[in-house]
């Protein structure tokens, strides 16, 4: 993995099984996430932006299938790793803030419990220590198992391909010549073909058997190898625990000696020290409730919730919308993630509160050096947050570039349409609305998905899917308009005018 | 005369707020209050959702109410169209009073009673003093007593007269509110926020749109079908959509159905309660353009309730800013964006994100803290600070605002 890259998504394809058929929600999305940047994903509802982020978190709905593609985080492919391994990443390393703060909090659980829950569940320190000691051996087993799965898959696929190729060849020879005289020869040809195919099949299956045998041995070896490692790890952890316990016992004994014959003031102090020492011992074993609450208070203070100690005892309904969203952010932050995925965190809020939350996320990003994926359909919010922008339509990224490039030099007709359909504080002419509705992803359109709603559609748009054309090193767009042979088109007048006023720097538009 | 047979006085529409403006007024709202009560006894809570607001809406204009959620803008709209009984104030529509509440009149009655009580008590004290001075002179004491009694009776009588008048006014307002004047009220229609929740899923589009006509007494199927088709075409749907059910439409189309339902009775005035905030970005422009066309074509007056300031700026002529039940600023659009005076308006304007990264980098948010006002001695009021520009402030703040206006 290249340095400075936090996350790489490659050719991700996701579909949902439904009774009517497969809904192709995401169709080949690729992007990279650099460390410390904010990537905004923009698009209307149903364009697949939320599905992409949910796939990164590994929380796709039950009927969702990742057909193709890889999500690489810290040299691991998140589409392949097991659920147990995902537990370590989800929340701890990649956090998520959901759209609706009301429905993402449990209404009958006090806020305190909801904020501390994650820390307490993940906070069995001795167990975690034990797991980290045997992690390498465990990974070996998992890798061997993944290898088995891959082997099986490739074998099945190759077999199928071979059979299909044979069938095609046989049919292809039968159809053109049906004369009597060639029949014999043809039969001989077919025979030869069949024979050859059978041989190759044989070879394939033998190879597969060999590979499986080797893999079986690998799994067995790994399983055998882990036994002593486990024993050793358990021993180490136990020793550490005992050492800590002994140490604490000694300390306690010393402290207790101080108790006899002391006056009340010192007694009080010493007693407090004793309880602290005991707490330290408990904390060595796991994250105690007290510790979790302390951390929760700190984080709640950080996200700007006044009087956090009183607030801990309250229920979600006692909070306003903005406060609720802050709680959700606090929950995501308690685990100290490096990547934060914000799925439309301000759509349910109104302007003033939205401004507060955006400010908060920006500040947190700077303080904690977070990398953020920000999903929204509000272009104003995007302009505020994003370093880079990816515009999605019908399960594909149609344009990606830095914020300035996308806002001031957009190339895709969909980006134009999206930008000119929202009024800003200087618009006075008729808005350009996008006619029609997004395509039904049960039957993904051929060619450019936006062609039906675009006034710039050419014939090729209905036939062939446009590739990503490079505009600059960071700016790419998928539209045939960028092809050298395409006719020259200009972006809509309204947008041109707006970009002109923007680049001239009309900062006086009521900055208050 | 018995109470029932007595004819109640007809209310006359109030003087316009903006002097020297001769445009026709469609709707005027005076001292409108809407209080919600919850709980009983110790837990009783009165929430002033709308608290003493005044505005006029002129013919053919788009008047917008903006503010954060919970500031009472939707409640104002719903009270105007009589979905709620107003607690106090009056609503005049096309020159007739359509609703009113007794709140401030009741206050006045209470005050009159209190004043009289004080007056009588004072008189009694004076009388006692005079009696003491008079000493044993029985005749004089009698005369003093008679004199004071007369004064007291006069005060009480005067009070009774005021109270009777006020009570009459309360009765008149009650009657106007209860009056189901269909012909007048069908000139006012509402478009609701959520196009999914506001359409009955068991009715076809035709039934939904025709409901208003049927309530109005239209019985001929032919006429109804024709009118429904006409209005469907106006909002950009096809006549064959009439036989479908709401779930078969997309969000933008559903909102068009909601607009068609409002339009079918040919109203003069439409209250649009956040008609686009539940819609997708690309669909929002369709609905805004449609509303704009309707205004140009039919000259419909629109009261637009929203929290998205860039849409409001694009769409409306005059803007009222609300904060916790109070109308804090009221001005023509250009004036408001050029000269935002009330600190809340400034904070609201500074919170709007624009699709322009350069501007966003430099944007600084102004915070508004309601405790910055000192309203203890100097009570605030809606002042006309400049022609057609109203701001809610007390005298000290007014001076400050005036200075700001200059530069």
């Amino acid at each position: 993995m290249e340095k400075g890259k936090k996350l790489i998504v490659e050719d991700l394809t996701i579909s949902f099984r439904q009774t009517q058929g497969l809904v192709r929600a995401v169709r080949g999305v690729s992007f990279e996430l650099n460390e410390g940047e904010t990537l905004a994903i923009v698009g209307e509802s149903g364009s697949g932006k939320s599905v992409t982020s949910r796939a990164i978190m590994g929380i796709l709905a039950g009927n969702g299938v990742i057909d193709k593609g890889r999500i690489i985080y810290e040299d691991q492919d998140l589409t392949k790793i097991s659920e147990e391994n995902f537990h370590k990443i989800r929340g701890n390393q990649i956090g998520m803030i959901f759209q609706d703060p009301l429905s993402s909090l449990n209404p009958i659980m006090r806020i305190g419990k909801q904020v501390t829950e994650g820390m307490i569940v993940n906070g069995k320190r001795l167990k975690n220590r034990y797991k980290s000691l045997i992690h390498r051996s465990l990974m070996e087993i998992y890798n061997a198992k993944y290898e088995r799965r891959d082997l099986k898959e490739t074998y099945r696929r190759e077999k199928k391909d071979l059979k299909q190729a044979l069938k095609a060849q046989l049919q292809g020879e039968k159809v053109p010549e049906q004369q009597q005289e060639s029949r014999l020869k043809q039969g001989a040809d077919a025979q030869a073909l069949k024979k050859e195919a059978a041989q190759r099949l044989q070879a394939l299956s033998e190879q597969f058997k060999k590979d499986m045998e080797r893999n079986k041995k690998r799994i067995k070896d790994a399983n055998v190898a882990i036994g002593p490692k486990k024993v050793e790890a358990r021993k180490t952890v136990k020793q550490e625990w005992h050492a800590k316990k002994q140490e604490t016992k000694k300390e306690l004994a010393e402290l207790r000696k101080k108790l006899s014959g002391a006056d009340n003031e010192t007694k009080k102090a010493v007693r407090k020290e004793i309880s602290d020492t005991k707490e330290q011992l408990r904390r060595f074993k796991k994250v105690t409730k007290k510790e979790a609450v302390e951390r929760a208070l700190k984080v709640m203070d950080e996200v700007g919730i006044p009087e956090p100690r009183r607030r801990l005892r309250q229920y979600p309904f006692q909070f306003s919308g903005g406060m609720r969203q802050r709680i959700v952010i606090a929950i995501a932050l308690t685990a100290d993630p490096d990547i934060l995925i914000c799925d439309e965190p301000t759509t349910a809020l109104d302007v003033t509160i939205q401004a507060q939350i955006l400010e908060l996320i920006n500040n947190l990003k700077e303080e904690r050096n977070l990398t953020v994926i920000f999903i929204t359909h509000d272009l104003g919010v995007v302009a505020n947050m994003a370093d880079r922008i990816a515009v999605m339509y019908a399960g594909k990224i149609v344009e990606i570039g830095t914020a300035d490039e996308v806002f001031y030099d957009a190339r895709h007709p969909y980006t134009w349409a999206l930008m000119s359909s929202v009024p800003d504080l200087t618009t006075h002419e008729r808005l350009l609305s996008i006619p029609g509705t997004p395509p039904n992803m049960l039957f993904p359109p051929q060619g450019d998905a936006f062609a039906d709603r675009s006034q710039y559609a050419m014939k090729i748009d209905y036939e062939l899917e446009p590739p990503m054309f490079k505009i600059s090193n960071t700016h790419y767009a998928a539209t045939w308009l960028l092809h050298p042979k395409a006719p020259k088109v200009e972006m809509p007048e309204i947008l041109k005018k707006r970009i002109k006023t923007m680049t001239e720097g009309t900062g006086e538009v009521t900055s208050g | 005369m018995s109470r029932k047979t007595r004819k109640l006085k007809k209310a006359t529409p109030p003087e316009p707020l903006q002097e020297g403006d001769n445009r026709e007024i469609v709707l005027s709202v005076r001292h409108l209050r809407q209080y919600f009560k919850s709980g009983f006894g110790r837990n009783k809570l009165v929430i002033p959702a709308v608290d003493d607001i005044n505005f006029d809406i002129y013919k053919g204009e788009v008047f917008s109410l903006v503010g954060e959620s919970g500031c009472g803008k939707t409640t104002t709209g719903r009270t105007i169209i009589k979905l709620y009984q107003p607690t106090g104030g009056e609503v005049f529509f096309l020159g007739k009073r359509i609703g009113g509440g007794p709140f401030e009149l009741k206050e006045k009655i209470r005050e009159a009673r209190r004043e009289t009580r004080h007056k009588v008590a004072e008189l009694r004290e004076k009388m006692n003093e005079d009696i003491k001075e008079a000493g044993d002179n029985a005749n004089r004491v009698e005369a003093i007593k008679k004199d004071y009694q007369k004064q007291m009776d006069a005060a009480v009588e005067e009070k009774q007269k005021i109270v009777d008048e006020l009570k009459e006014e309360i009765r008149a307002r009650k009657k106007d509110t209860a009056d189901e004047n269909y012909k007048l009220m069908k000139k006012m229609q509402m478009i609701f926020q959520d196009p999914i929740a506001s359409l009955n899923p068991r009715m076809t589009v035709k039934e939904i749109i025709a409901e208003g006509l049927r309530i109005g007494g239209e019985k001929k199927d032919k006429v109804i079908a024709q009118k429904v088709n006409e209005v469907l075409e106006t909002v950009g749907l096809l006549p064959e959509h009439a036989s479908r059910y709401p779930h078969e439409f997309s969000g933008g189309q559903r909102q068009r159905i909601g607009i068609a339902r409002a339009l079918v009775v040919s109203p003069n005035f439409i209250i649009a309660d956040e008609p686009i905030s539940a819609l997708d970005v690309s669909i929002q422009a369709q609905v805004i353009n449609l509303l704009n066309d309707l205004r140009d074509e039919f000259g419909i007056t629109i009261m637009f309730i929203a929290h998205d300031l860039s849409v409001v700026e694009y769409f409306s002529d005059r803007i009222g800013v609300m904060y916790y039940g109070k109308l804090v600023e009221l001005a023509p659009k250009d004036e408001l964006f050029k000269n935002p005076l009330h600190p809340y308006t400034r904070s609201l304007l500074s919170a709007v994100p624009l699709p322009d990264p350069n501007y966003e980098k430099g944007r600084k948010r102004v915070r508004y803290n309601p405790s910055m006002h000192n309203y203890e001695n100097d009570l605030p009021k809606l002042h006309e600070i400049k022609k057609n520009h109203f701001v809610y402030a007390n005298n000290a703040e007014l001076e400050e605002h005036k200075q700001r206006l200059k530069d």
Side-chain angles (χ1 to χ4, degrees), chain A residues 43-46 349-356 358-359 377-381 383-385 403-404 407-408 414 418-438 453 498 501-503 506-507 509-512, chain B residues 67-70 73 250 253 279-290 292-293 307-314 333-334 336-340 344 346-367:
Chain A
E44 50 196 315
S45 36
L349 308 173
D350 61 49
V351 227
T352 30
I353 314 229
Q354 167 175 303
Q356 287 170 17
L358 294 182
E359 231 163 69
H377 62 243
D378 189 337
L379 285 167
V381 174
N384 183 299
M385 301 290 295
D404 287 356
F407 271 104
Y408 301 133
Y414 179 63
L418 206 60
M419 297 222 286
S420 42
S421 68
V422 281
D424 68 358
L425 293 180
T426 52
T427 318
H428 297 291
E429 52 278 86
R430 197 182 159 81
L431 295 175
L432 289 183
S433 60
I434 309 177
T437 48
R453 303 170 76 188
R498 194 183 297 174
T501 50
M502 285 197 293
T503 41
T506 39
V509 192
T510 55
S511 46
Chain B
E68 61 189 52
S69 50
K73 49 192 195 307
S250 68
Q253 283 175 320
L279 301 178
D280 221 325
V281 241
S282 63
I283 314 288
Q284 286 185 1
Q286 293 176 11
V287 174
I288 296 177
N289 282 340
L290 172 64
N292 240 342
D293 292 346
H307 64 248
D308 187 348
L309 270 170
S310 41
V311 172
V312 166
E313 205 276 346
Y314 171 71
K333 160 181 85 177
D334 296 333
L336 187 85
F337 278 84
K338 209 170 74 193
N339 259 331
Y344 179 68
R346 275 184 277 136
S347 135
L348 198 65
L349 286 182
S350 74
V352 185
L354 291 186
D356 178 359
N358 281 344
Y359 165 78
E360 281 299 312
K361 269 169 214 152
R363 178 164 66 93
K364 260 203 143 166
R365 197 157 65 81
V366 182
R367 282 157 205 276

Side-chain angles (χ1 to χ4, degrees), chain A residues 147-204:
Chain A
E147 195 191 43
R148 184 172 64 182
R149 192 180 61 190
D150 288 350
L151 275 175
K152 272 185 184 167
E153 247 172 47
T154 38
Y155 173 63
R156 220 171 279 145
R157 201 175 53 234
E158 275 174 12
K159 209 162 92 180
K160 205 174 151 196
D161 285 352
L162 210 67
K163 276 183 180 166
Q164 262 175 357
L166 176 70
K167 213 174 169 185
Q169 268 174 335
L170 284 177
Q171 267 178 353
E173 271 176 24
K174 257 181 205 166
V175 176
E177 297 166 40
Q178 282 189 326
Q179 275 88 12
Q180 289 245 328
E181 58 249 61
S182 62
R183 209 179 223 183
L184 240 169
K185 190 171 159 259
Q186 204 188 346
D189 270 0
Q191 283 285 321
L193 273 173
K194 272 183 188 166
K195 210 173 175 186
E196 199 194 323
Q199 269 173 3
R200 276 167 68 186
L201 259 180
Q202 183 83 24
L204 205 67

Side-chain angles (χ1 to χ4, degrees), chain B residues 122-245:
Chain B
E122 259 173 41
L123 284 174
R124 188 156 288 149
E125 240 172 58
K126 258 188 193 167
M127 180 178 81
N128 287 345
E129 271 173 30
D130 285 1
I131 290 172
K132 247 184 208 166
E133 260 176 41
D136 294 341
N137 193 339
N139 272 347
R140 208 174 133 69
V141 169
E142 202 61 29
I144 289 169
K145 267 190 181 170
K146 219 175 188 178
D147 187 29
Y148 275 103
Q149 195 57 49
K150 221 179 197 175
Q151 281 184 41
M152 281 188 227
D153 285 350
V156 170
E157 206 167 298
E158 198 182 329
K159 176 208 83 179
Q160 200 52 48
K161 214 171 153 194
I162 294 170
V163 168
D164 280 348
E165 244 168 55
L166 288 169
K167 277 189 173 167
E168 184 126 324
E169 175 66 21
I170 289 176
R171 237 172 279 131
R173 282 189 186 182
K174 239 184 206 166
K175 187 176 166 286
D176 282 347
T177 311
D179 191 12
E180 293 291 343
N181 188 346
Y182 176 77
K183 266 194 183 142
L184 185 62
M185 283 312 287
K186 84 171 187 182
K187 300 255 183 233
M188 187 195 284
Q189 288 295 320
M190 190 155 182
I191 300 167
F192 293 93
Q193 176 170 10
D194 190 347
I196 300 162
S198 62
L199 300 177
N200 188 342
R202 298 188 184 193
M203 283 162 97
T204 62
V205 169
K206 188 185 167 190
E207 284 163 351
I208 290 170
I209 296 177
E211 207 177 7
L213 287 174
R214 285 187 204 281
I215 292 168
E218 186 59 66
K219 290 198 177 66
K220 286 177 192 150
D221 267 346
K222 236 183 188 171
V223 179
I224 289 177
Q226 196 204 341
K227 277 199 172 171
V228 168
N229 286 349
E230 267 172 28
V231 82
L232 277 176
E233 264 170 44
T234 321
V235 297
L237 294 173
L238 297 171
E240 59 255 35
H241 288 153
S243 56
R244 294 196 195 162
Y245 287 91

Side-chain angles (χ1 to χ4, degrees), chain A residues 347-376:
Chain A
T347 309
L349 308 173
D350 61 49
V351 227
T352 30
I353 314 229
Q354 167 175 303
Q356 287 170 17
I357 297 288
L358 294 182
E359 231 163 69
L360 171 69
I361 293 175
N362 266 336
N363 288 345
L364 288 172
K365 189 188 139 201
E366 261 168 44
E367 275 167 30
R368 297 174 164 238
N369 194 22
L370 285 172
T371 309
V372 180
I373 299 181
F374 200 92
I375 294 166
T376 179

Side-chain angles (χ1 to χ4, degrees), chain A residues 124-133 236-237 240:
Chain A
K124 294 183 177 107
R125 291 205 168 107
L126 285 182
K127 203 175 168 187
N128 289 350
R129 172 100 178 100
Y130 168 69
K131 277 202 170 160
S132 75
L133 281 174
T236 329
V237 172
E240 278 171 12

